[in-house]
Structures are given as structure tokens and as C-alpha cells.
Amino acid sequence: SQQGEEDPQALSIQEGENATMNCSYKTSINNLQWYRQNSGRGLVHLILIRSNEREKHSGRLRVTLDTSKKSSSLLITASRAADTASYFCASSGTYKYIFGTGTRLKVLA
Amino acid sequence: GAGVSQSPRYKVAKRGQDVALRCDPISGHVSLFWYQQALGQGPEFLTYFQNEAQLDKSGLPSDRFFAERPEGSVSTLKIQRTQQEDSAVYLCASSIAGTSGYEQYFGPGTRLTVT
């Protein structure tokens, strides 16, 4: 399989807690993106981090990138029930995106 | 403004039938991608178009899979002689530029079930 790996595969937390998910990829990249997929809905772009960046914030999202370890993490702070979804990282070189296997997050109200 | 649309949303095919899946990207988007997503997995890259040129088809599983984008807008993914292992959700995405580093906009997908 050409997919990257994410862990944990599944995560269940209480509303208000923080959720951290990790992604590892295999080749050199120009950028890495995170996407969310709700049950029955399409993939929605969350945030992009370029290979020369180490950290990026967007609202309650914080993404880090460590190119030496070929890994990235997504932190969702103060989680809400509406954050329940699957989260995927997608690493990219020139144009091709390689998605991870995903983390299924469940936020309990 | 319309997003990426795909049709049909659901397709049931008998093994051996040919199917055609359509993708209407966002108008003016240069890049168009097709992905295959199995249940519980992330999308797997199938093929990439930059305008009408198919620059990468390395992810197509076999020569039964064929994609085209003749006028650089609408794209069709065709699967000939469908097999049960072709059952999956097929996602289309478009992006404004011809390089990575830009958001991909995904369609809702076509769920193909081969019986």
C-alpha cells in the first residue's frame, strides 16, 4: 500500500478535552495537509503546513511537522461533539497526495 | 458557488459490467484527482490530470481502469469488466493550481458495489 500511517487508529475523548493524532509518511514532501471526513460526507480540508514550517495554528487546530522524522501531529483543543469524524493526513511532493490510514475520533458529550 | 459534484452517488453493478463515473470539478481548477477509498481506509491515489493531460496514472489498479478529461473540465473514470474487489467509494478532487500546496476540494464520492 502507498498509504502513510496514522495513530491512534481510534480515539475516544470527552467533550472539552484535547485530541492529538499523529501521522508518519515515507518520502520527502513539499507540504502536508490534514483533512476531516464525517460519516456520509466528503473530505474537508483543515490545514496545510509547508515543509519549511514547523508549526501552524488555525482556530482550535495546531499542526506540527518534523521532516527529519517524517512525521506530523494534529492537535484539536477543547473538542466538541461536532469534531467527531475521521481525520487524515495527506503528504505531497510536486502534485501527488498520499493519504494516511486515518484516525477515527469520537467526542462524547 | 458549486463545489465538486460526482454522479452517480451510488452504483450497483453486476460482475463483468462496465461502469462510468463522472466528476464535475470546480470551474477553472487546473488539477483533478481520482481516489479510491475502501471502507475504514484513507483515500488511495488513482490518477492525476493537469487540465486535459493525464500526468500520472500510476495508481490505477489494472488496465480495466481508464480515466479521461478531454476538455480539461469534466472527467470520467471508467471501469471495464468490474470485479468484486472494485467495490469502494471513488472520490474526485480538484485544486486550483497545477502543483501541490493548494487545498483539494473533494466531491461526495460514488459508492460502487459490485455483486
Side-chain angles (χ1 to χ4, degrees), chain A residues 85-103:
Chain A
S86 290
Y87 292 81
F88 298 93
C89 65
S91 58
S92 178
T94 50
Y95 59 81
K96 185 173 177 177
Y97 291 86
I98 304 297
F99 280 78
T101 50
T103 292

mmCIF file of all heavy atoms in Angstrom, chain A residues 85-103:
data_model
loop_
_atom_site.group_PDB
_atom_site.id
_atom_site.type_symbol
_atom_site.label_atom_id
_atom_site.label_comp_id
_atom_site.label_asym_id
_atom_site.label_seq_id
_atom_site.Cartn_x
_atom_site.Cartn_y
_atom_site.Cartn_z
ATOM 1 N N ALA A 85 -15.314 12.559 13.869
ATOM 2 C CA ALA A 85 -15.052 12.358 12.441
ATOM 3 C C ALA A 85 -13.804 11.505 12.302
ATOM 4 O O ALA A 85 -13.163 11.155 13.290
ATOM 5 C CB ALA A 85 -14.836 13.696 11.742
ATOM 6 N N SER A 86 -13.453 11.189 11.069
ATOM 7 C CA SER A 86 -12.154 10.591 10.773
ATOM 8 C C SER A 86 -11.234 11.681 10.254
ATOM 9 O O SER A 86 -11.661 12.545 9.484
ATOM 10 C CB SER A 86 -12.300 9.489 9.722
ATOM 11 O OG SER A 86 -12.974 8.380 10.251
ATOM 12 N N TYR A 87 -9.990 11.623 10.678
ATOM 13 C CA TYR A 87 -9.007 12.639 10.308
ATOM 14 C C TYR A 87 -7.874 11.969 9.541
ATOM 15 O O TYR A 87 -7.355 10.927 9.952
ATOM 16 C CB TYR A 87 -8.473 13.346 11.552
ATOM 17 C CG TYR A 87 -9.533 14.198 12.208
ATOM 18 C CD1 TYR A 87 -10.485 13.621 13.049
ATOM 19 C CD2 TYR A 87 -9.619 15.567 11.952
ATOM 20 C CE1 TYR A 87 -11.481 14.390 13.626
ATOM 21 C CE2 TYR A 87 -10.608 16.346 12.535
ATOM 22 C CZ TYR A 87 -11.539 15.738 13.361
ATOM 23 O OH TYR A 87 -12.542 16.499 13.929
ATOM 24 N N PHE A 88 -7.511 12.577 8.420
ATOM 25 C CA PHE A 88 -6.480 12.019 7.560
ATOM 26 C C PHE A 88 -5.402 13.061 7.287
ATOM 27 O O PHE A 88 -5.711 14.226 7.032
ATOM 28 C CB PHE A 88 -7.067 11.595 6.205
ATOM 29 C CG PHE A 88 -8.101 10.520 6.284
ATOM 30 C CD1 PHE A 88 -9.445 10.841 6.372
ATOM 31 C CD2 PHE A 88 -7.732 9.182 6.261
ATOM 32 C CE1 PHE A 88 -10.413 9.846 6.436
ATOM 33 C CE2 PHE A 88 -8.689 8.182 6.323
ATOM 34 C CZ PHE A 88 -10.033 8.511 6.413
ATOM 35 N N CYS A 89 -4.157 12.619 7.306
ATOM 36 C CA CYS A 89 -3.094 13.472 6.800
ATOM 37 C C CYS A 89 -2.847 13.097 5.342
ATOM 38 O O CYS A 89 -3.127 11.977 4.923
ATOM 39 C CB CYS A 89 -1.817 13.309 7.611
ATOM 40 S SG CYS A 89 -1.048 11.680 7.501
ATOM 41 N N ALA A 90 -2.362 14.052 4.579
ATOM 42 C CA ALA A 90 -2.052 13.826 3.169
ATOM 43 C C ALA A 90 -0.735 14.522 2.873
ATOM 44 O O ALA A 90 -0.650 15.748 2.932
ATOM 45 C CB ALA A 90 -3.163 14.357 2.269
ATOM 46 N N SER A 91 0.282 13.718 2.576
ATOM 47 C CA SER A 91 1.596 14.287 2.279
ATOM 48 C C SER A 91 1.766 14.422 0.774
ATOM 49 O O SER A 91 1.234 13.623 0.002
ATOM 50 C CB SER A 91 2.696 13.391 2.861
ATOM 51 O OG SER A 91 2.598 12.078 2.338
ATOM 52 N N SER A 92 2.513 15.444 0.376
ATOM 53 C CA SER A 92 2.619 15.723 -1.052
ATOM 54 C C SER A 92 4.002 16.198 -1.446
ATOM 55 O O SER A 92 4.628 16.977 -0.738
ATOM 56 C CB SER A 92 1.588 16.782 -1.440
ATOM 57 O OG SER A 92 1.707 17.106 -2.801
ATOM 58 N N GLY A 93 4.444 15.712 -2.617
ATOM 59 C CA GLY A 93 5.660 16.224 -3.226
ATOM 60 C C GLY A 93 5.281 17.303 -4.220
ATOM 61 O O GLY A 93 4.818 18.373 -3.861
ATOM 62 N N THR A 94 5.391 17.007 -5.508
ATOM 63 C CA THR A 94 5.083 18.014 -6.519
ATOM 64 C C THR A 94 3.579 18.171 -6.736
ATOM 65 O O THR A 94 3.072 19.281 -6.834
ATOM 66 C CB THR A 94 5.740 17.652 -7.853
ATOM 67 O OG1 THR A 94 5.423 16.293 -8.167
ATOM 68 C CG2 THR A 94 7.245 17.814 -7.769
ATOM 69 N N TYR A 95 2.842 17.065 -6.825
ATOM 70 C CA TYR A 95 1.405 17.186 -7.042
ATOM 71 C C TYR A 95 0.628 16.036 -6.410
ATOM 72 O O TYR A 95 -0.535 16.167 -6.091
ATOM 73 C CB TYR A 95 1.076 17.206 -8.549
ATOM 74 C CG TYR A 95 1.540 15.966 -9.271
ATOM 75 C CD1 TYR A 95 0.791 14.788 -9.243
ATOM 76 C CD2 TYR A 95 2.743 15.945 -9.953
ATOM 77 C CE1 TYR A 95 1.231 13.639 -9.866
ATOM 78 C CE2 TYR A 95 3.190 14.801 -10.579
ATOM 79 C CZ TYR A 95 2.430 13.651 -10.530
ATOM 80 O OH TYR A 95 2.887 12.515 -11.150
ATOM 81 N N LYS A 96 1.276 14.909 -6.220
ATOM 82 C CA LYS A 96 0.573 13.694 -5.786
ATOM 83 C C LYS A 96 0.413 13.688 -4.272
ATOM 84 O O LYS A 96 1.351 14.003 -3.535
ATOM 85 C CB LYS A 96 1.399 12.497 -6.231
ATOM 86 C CG LYS A 96 0.779 11.142 -5.978
ATOM 87 C CD LYS A 96 1.670 10.094 -6.646
ATOM 88 C CE LYS A 96 1.174 8.699 -6.377
ATOM 89 N NZ LYS A 96 2.010 7.697 -7.092
ATOM 90 N N TYR A 97 -0.768 13.341 -3.806
ATOM 91 C CA TYR A 97 -1.049 13.286 -2.375
ATOM 92 C C TYR A 97 -1.146 11.834 -1.925
ATOM 93 O O TYR A 97 -1.857 11.028 -2.535
ATOM 94 C CB TYR A 97 -2.359 14.007 -2.067
ATOM 95 C CG TYR A 97 -2.277 15.497 -2.254
ATOM 96 C CD1 TYR A 97 -2.487 16.073 -3.506
ATOM 97 C CD2 TYR A 97 -1.950 16.338 -1.189
ATOM 98 C CE1 TYR A 97 -2.402 17.444 -3.686
ATOM 99 C CE2 TYR A 97 -1.859 17.699 -1.373
ATOM 100 C CZ TYR A 97 -2.083 18.246 -2.614
ATOM 101 O OH TYR A 97 -1.988 19.599 -2.799
ATOM 102 N N ILE A 98 -0.445 11.525 -0.843
ATOM 103 C CA ILE A 98 -0.519 10.211 -0.231
ATOM 104 C C ILE A 98 -1.211 10.373 1.112
ATOM 105 O O ILE A 98 -0.694 11.069 1.997
ATOM 106 C CB ILE A 98 0.874 9.587 -0.036
ATOM 107 C CG1 ILE A 98 1.635 9.532 -1.364
ATOM 108 C CG2 ILE A 98 0.737 8.199 0.588
ATOM 109 C CD1 ILE A 98 0.988 8.662 -2.421
ATOM 110 N N PHE A 99 -2.376 9.747 1.244
ATOM 111 C CA PHE A 99 -3.150 9.863 2.462
ATOM 112 C C PHE A 99 -2.735 8.800 3.477
ATOM 113 O O PHE A 99 -2.293 7.702 3.126
ATOM 114 C CB PHE A 99 -4.648 9.711 2.163
ATOM 115 C CG PHE A 99 -5.278 10.955 1.623
ATOM 116 C CD1 PHE A 99 -5.105 11.320 0.299
ATOM 117 C CD2 PHE A 99 -6.036 11.771 2.446
ATOM 118 C CE1 PHE A 99 -5.675 12.482 -0.202
ATOM 119 C CE2 PHE A 99 -6.618 12.936 1.960
ATOM 120 C CZ PHE A 99 -6.438 13.290 0.634
ATOM 121 N N GLY A 100 -2.913 9.148 4.739
ATOM 122 C CA GLY A 100 -2.712 8.182 5.809
ATOM 123 C C GLY A 100 -3.943 7.309 5.962
ATOM 124 O O GLY A 100 -4.959 7.493 5.278
ATOM 125 N N THR A 101 -3.834 6.370 6.875
ATOM 126 C CA THR A 101 -4.919 5.415 7.100
ATOM 127 C C THR A 101 -6.034 5.999 7.957
ATOM 128 O O THR A 101 -7.100 5.418 8.046
ATOM 129 C CB THR A 101 -4.374 4.153 7.772
ATOM 130 O OG1 THR A 101 -3.579 4.540 8.895
ATOM 131 C CG2 THR A 101 -3.506 3.354 6.801
ATOM 132 N N GLY A 102 -5.782 7.121 8.608
ATOM 133 C CA GLY A 102 -6.830 7.828 9.326
ATOM 134 C C GLY A 102 -6.924 7.508 10.803
ATOM 135 O O GLY A 102 -6.567 6.421 11.257
ATOM 136 N N THR A 103 -7.394 8.495 11.547
ATOM 137 C CA THR A 103 -7.716 8.340 12.968
ATOM 138 C C THR A 103 -9.203 8.630 13.133
ATOM 139 O O THR A 103 -9.672 9.698 12.724
ATOM 140 C CB THR A 103 -6.906 9.310 13.838
ATOM 141 O OG1 THR A 103 -5.530 8.957 13.805
ATOM 142 C CG2 THR A 103 -7.401 9.271 15.290
#
